[in-house]
Amino acid sequence: MAVYDPLTRALDLFPRPPGEICEDMYVEYHVLPSDEERGPFRVICVCHEACGAQAAVLSSETGEWQVFPFVEAAAMQPGDDNEKCSGNGTLVNGSIYWTDGSRALARVLNTSTLHFSRIDLPPHIEGQGALTAGETKDGRLCIISTVKLTLVVWFQRTDDDGVERWTQHKTFPLEQDIHAHDHCFDHDHIALKILAIVNGFVYLSTYCEPDRDLPGLFLSFCLETAKLNKLCTILYPNSLYPYIMAWPPSLVLNEPTRNY
């Protein structure tokens, strides 16, 4: 297994986790960077299925895996043990959320305590796409989905009874803005896919149904200003992964710029 830093071009090689924890389960990896620049980091391997999940953690300092016990889904309250959990989780503020496998519940892993739990999800809306967890500019947890070419945003709010519930915050129709960025698409067949929600920005791609191999757009949407930006045109919308990193020092100008 390799961990590569595109900024420093450092490549670290590590042994794969023990095979017995990955057997017959879906496996995914998450890299947790250190608070210190170029400090040690952790890699979390999560193996899960409908009946439960298991985590293993590797430290870059030791290169060894620490395996944690398998947790039955029934122990992840609330909910029952018949949930579905599929697809890659999303790391938000130190927890990993799996929101695309169930319409009612999300599985959550606290990366500090390695404790699994579940939370309720927002109510289903007709025509709604996959739910995606992310963070606002102030680090607040949010969940966003698409309904055709509209973004639907939910926040958690505490009711008078002290229970946190999902409340629909806003809807953002994007059809006119997308049409303004590109007039070549047949907008009756365009759909949106949320790729990531980082620091209050939603990163999306467009694709045409049913032929998803046609070129699309890579977009960013600011939740604070409600501004949609076209970043680039993409040839393979299904193979896109936004990577957020520090601005490379080699690209910072040390001399004053001149206007010509």
Side-chain angles (χ1 to χ4, degrees), residues 46-173:
V46 183
C47 310
H48 56 77
E49 55 187 352
C51 65
Q54 187 172 16
V57 180
L58 176 143
S59 169
S60 64
E61 292 182 299
T62 64
E64 297 180 354
W65 288 96
Q66 180 183 3
V67 180
F68 289 80
F70 183 85
V71 179
E72 298 286 347
M76 305 176 194
Q77 298 298 327
D80 55 41
D81 57 356
N82 293 321
E83 65 171 312
K84 296 179 181 178
C85 188
S86 61
N88 288 326
T90 303
L91 180 63
V92 182
N93 292 333
S95 292
I96 303 172
Y97 295 83
W98 289 270
T99 57
D100 61 345
S102 170
R103 295 204 182 276
L105 297 169
R107 185 173 289 180
V108 183
L109 174 64
N110 185 313
T111 61
S112 296
T113 63
L114 277 301
H115 173 71
F116 284 98
S117 61
R118 290 186 292 198
I119 61 171
D120 293 327
L121 287 175
H124 178 68
I125 299 176
E126 184 177 356
Q128 174 179 283
L131 297 171
T132 304
E135 61 181 2
T136 62
K137 187 176 181 180
D138 58 0
R140 186 179 182 185
L141 174 67
C142 65
I143 284 183
I144 301 179
S145 69
T146 60
V147 179
K148 295 185 178 179
L149 297 182
T150 296
L151 290 184
V152 184
V153 182
W154 284 275
F155 289 145
Q156 279 187 328
R157 290 187 172 87
T158 304
D159 290 344
D160 296 335
D161 57 4
V163 178
E164 284 192 336
R165 292 184 173 88
W166 290 103
T167 302
Q168 187 172 310
H169 173 62
K170 283 185 179 180
T171 59
F172 297 98

